[in-house]
Amino acid sequence: MTFEEAKIKLEGEGQEHLLSWYEELNAEEKETLLRQIDELDLGLLNLLGEGTSETEKGVLAPLGALTIEEIQAKKDDFAKTGIAALKKHKVGAVLLAGGQGTRLGFDKPKGMLNVGVHRELYLFEQLICNIMDVVEQTGEWVPLFIMTSEKNNEDTVGFFEEKNYFGYNKEFVFFFVQKMAPSVSYDGKIYMEEKNRISTSPNGNGGWFISLANAGLLDTIEKLGVEWLNVFAVDNVLQKIADPIFVGAVLENDCVCGAKVVAKADPNERVGVLCLEDGKPSIVEYYEMTDEIIHSRDKDGKLLYNYGVILNYLFRVDVLKKIMSENLPTHIVEKKIPYMNENGEYVKPQELNGYKFETLVLDMIHMMDNCLSFEVVREKEFAPIKNATGVDSLESARELMTKNGIEI
Ligand code: UTP
């Protein structure tokens, strides 16, 4: 793209400030900037004008879960089926580690956080430790796909190398890099990061399968015979990965996908709830539900919309391939976005200062014909590290780790 072409593209959208420093740049820097402008999806900015990116929800209905008691009763059967599948490498794990963890405010990739107290224990290390439980049970490595972003790929891969993959077999670890999207100020102006670089951030965790495919990993999946992918977040230290009982339950129930859920701590808990929307499984955010729905109960007094998701899903690969080309909704998310100000200084804001555009893995659930809602014990499987202090923080996660007998 030439300077003139870039100017025309930007002027149409009121984004010509991206070229303010152009004259100061050397030839290589100019090229970098023009390439970024060329690749820029300005269509995303129209979503801001619409006020919100959230689409209207359809008709909601409750979706029960396979409860802890029900799972307990069939545990051995489920485990047997799950282990058999895992022994044949039919299940791969996908670690979503492309996020920026802005709420936590940790400078490095979140997985590099030391969650130990009396010893070094990194978040990545603990996740590998969790997956090793399954490797020990089955005697086979679980193929592990790790999604990073342009911003943290080098650090993440370097860390795994430095730590010798925490004892995991590196032949079964596959990194891939997700896509980026521009970040904008509240008035819709795209931020700059450097004089020759537009501010971009990872475009959400919804594009994980496309990014995996674009990285050429579908061949690997086929070669290994992987038929299911267990997608999970980097920041839940108690995450059970490729859990044979979960896998077995989804398989035995003939479902195309499964989601681990926890019973809500109280009706107003701010979690996405797995339910039905227009007859299909769907995850509906707490702010998308009316008070009436939130508080509705069955005849035994149990909440009808009771099960919150914990970002641990199992998807069938052939179904993922089919829906790959369908668009997921784009969410506009308020974040703290570091940027370069008009004096050319780099600013790291303390407060929210703009929007990022993200697609979310939870929206993939609505593309599935069915989804097994699989209840787990919150205190045993859910210790997310989202915030620096308080709820869902390193502190609360450490407490739960200790309760679960993990030496920290
Ligand atoms: P979060 O929704 O907590 O987002 O991600 P985040 O970016 O990590 O953190 P905040 O909101 O800025 O504080 C849930 C999971 O999805 C991954 C994260 O790494 C985490 O495992 N994720 C998120 C991606 O892989 N890519 C993204 O673009 C966003």
Side-chain angles (χ1 to χ4, degrees):
M1 172 173 262
T2 63
F3 174 79
E4 282 310 318
E5 285 165 341
K7 209 167 155 221
I8 292 168
K9 176 171 179 177
L10 297 175
E11 273 174 357
E13 301 288 339
Q15 302 292 340
E16 56 278 16
H17 60 282
L18 301 183
L19 290 167
S20 310
W21 308 92
Y22 190 80
E23 290 312 323
E24 285 186 26
L25 306 177
N26 66 32
E28 200 183 317
E29 290 166 340
K30 281 180 177 163
E31 203 190 309
T32 315
L33 180 61
L34 292 178
R35 193 172 343 108
Q36 257 198 312
I37 295 172
D38 192 19
E39 288 166 3
L40 203 55
D41 176 7
L42 290 173
L44 285 173
L45 301 176
N46 296 332
L47 295 171
L48 293 171
E50 290 162 17
T52 171
S53 62
E54 309 302 327
T55 45
E56 282 283 302
K57 288 285 156 194
V59 178
L60 302 186
L63 175 67
L66 199 59
T67 62
I68 293 165
E69 297 73 36
E70 287 165 338
I71 293 166
Q72 191 59 30
K74 293 190 178 165
K75 196 172 131 217
D76 294 343
D77 281 348
F78 290 158
K80 207 170 144 202
T81 306
I83 288 173
L86 282 151
K87 274 185 186 290
K88 292 185 193 145
H89 297 144
K90 283 193 182 177
V91 186
V94 182
L95 165 56
L96 301 176
Q100 288 181 297
T102 53
R103 284 170 286 174
L104 182 65
F106 180 56
D107 270 349
K108 300 189 189 117
K110 217 189 233 188
M112 287 173 66
L113 184 73
N114 180 9
V115 295
V117 178
H118 302 295
R119 64 173 180 132
E120 269 179 15
L121 176 65
Y122 299 96
L123 196 36
F124 280 139
E125 183 176 9
Q126 183 57 42
L127 294 175
I128 293 293
C129 201
N130 298 354
I131 199 169
M132 282 303 286
D133 287 346
V134 179
V135 174
E136 274 156 28
Q137 243 180 309
T138 60
E140 288 293 334
W141 298 99
V142 179
L144 175 61
F145 301 89
I146 303 179
M147 182 163 87
T148 62
S149 80
E150 269 172 27
K151 304 248 173 191
N152 69 11
N153 183 61
E154 217 180 295
D155 282 347
T156 305
V157 178
F159 192 61
F160 269 90
E161 284 286 339
E162 182 196 320
K163 300 291 180 188
N164 204 14
Y165 291 72
F166 305 103
Y168 210 73
N169 182 347
K170 71 187 268 190
E171 282 175 30
F172 282 84
V173 180
F174 309 93
F175 291 96
F176 63 101
V177 181
Q178 71 170 98
K179 280 193 168 176
M180 308 293 279
S183 313
V184 299
S185 62
Y186 284 130
D187 55 5
K189 300 279 180 207
I190 297 175
Y191 277 122
M192 292 294 281
E193 217 165 66
E194 289 171 50
K195 292 181 178 174
N196 71 326
R197 190 168 290 277
I198 292 169
S199 165
T200 55
S201 35
N203 69 344
N205 54 30
W208 68 273
F209 190 70
I210 296 176
S211 299
L212 185 144
N214 289 343
L217 287 170
L218 288 185
D219 283 350
T220 309
I221 282 185
E222 205 163 304
K223 258 187 232 142
L224 288 168
V226 175
E227 292 176 9
W228 295 85
L229 287 172
N230 179 207
V231 184
F232 62 97
V234 70
D235 46 25
N236 173 9
V237 242
L238 295 182
Q239 192 85 256
K240 278 202 184 169
I241 303 154
D243 172 4
I245 302 177
F246 178 42
V247 171
V250 174
L251 261 65
E252 290 205 4
N253 280 278
D254 275 334
C255 288
V256 293
C257 95
K260 285 201 168 188
V261 296
V262 292
K264 274 193 188 177
D266 85 83
N268 291 311
E269 189 181 354
R270 300 172 153 221
V271 285
V273 168
L274 182 55
C275 57
L276 292 174
E277 180 189 350
D278 296 332
K280 285 184 83 179
S282 182
I283 293 163
V284 180
E285 292 293 350
Y286 60 95
Y287 53 81
E288 294 172 315
M289 293 184 156
T290 59
D291 256 9
E292 194 192 335
I293 285 189
I294 288 175
H295 293 280
S296 54
R297 293 176 187 270
D298 65 12
K299 57 180 182 349
D300 302 321
K302 200 172 153 190
L303 286 176
L304 281 172
Y305 295 85
N306 192 29
Y307 296 106
V309 286
I310 60 169
L311 217 173
N312 189 318
Y313 307 107
L314 187 68
F315 292 101
R316 219 170 75 186
V317 174
D318 61 340
V319 178
L320 289 170
K321 282 186 191 165
K322 270 192 210 135
I323 61 158
M324 204 162 121
S325 54
E326 286 176 36
N327 280 336
L328 286 169
T330 303
H331 297 258
I332 299 170
V333 192
E334 271 188 273
K335 298 261 179 172
K336 291 178 202 163
I337 303 160
Y339 65 100
M340 194 189 69
N341 67 16
E342 50 296 350
N343 304 322
E345 297 150 351
Y346 190 66
V347 182
K348 262 185 136 185
Q350 296 304 311
E351 305 295 330
L352 300 171
N353 65 333
Y355 304 113
K356 290 184 181 178
F357 300 95
E358 298 192 339
T359 60
L360 303 177
V361 58
L362 59 83
D363 286 317
M364 289 172 96
I365 299 294
H366 195 45
M367 296 176 163
M368 302 286 139
D369 286 338
N370 52 57
C371 177
L372 182 76
S373 185
F374 182 95
E375 188 189 4
V376 300
V377 181
R378 179 188 287 253
E379 292 72 25
K380 288 194 178 158
E381 294 201 27
F382 193 43
I385 302 175
K386 297 285 183 196
N387 305 306
T389 52
V391 181
D392 296 343
S393 63
L394 178 56
E395 205 181 2
S396 61
R398 279 179 173 156
E399 235 170 75
L400 282 163
M401 288 170 85
T402 309
K403 268 193 192 157
N404 279 283
I406 301 171
E407 248 178 68
I408 53 170

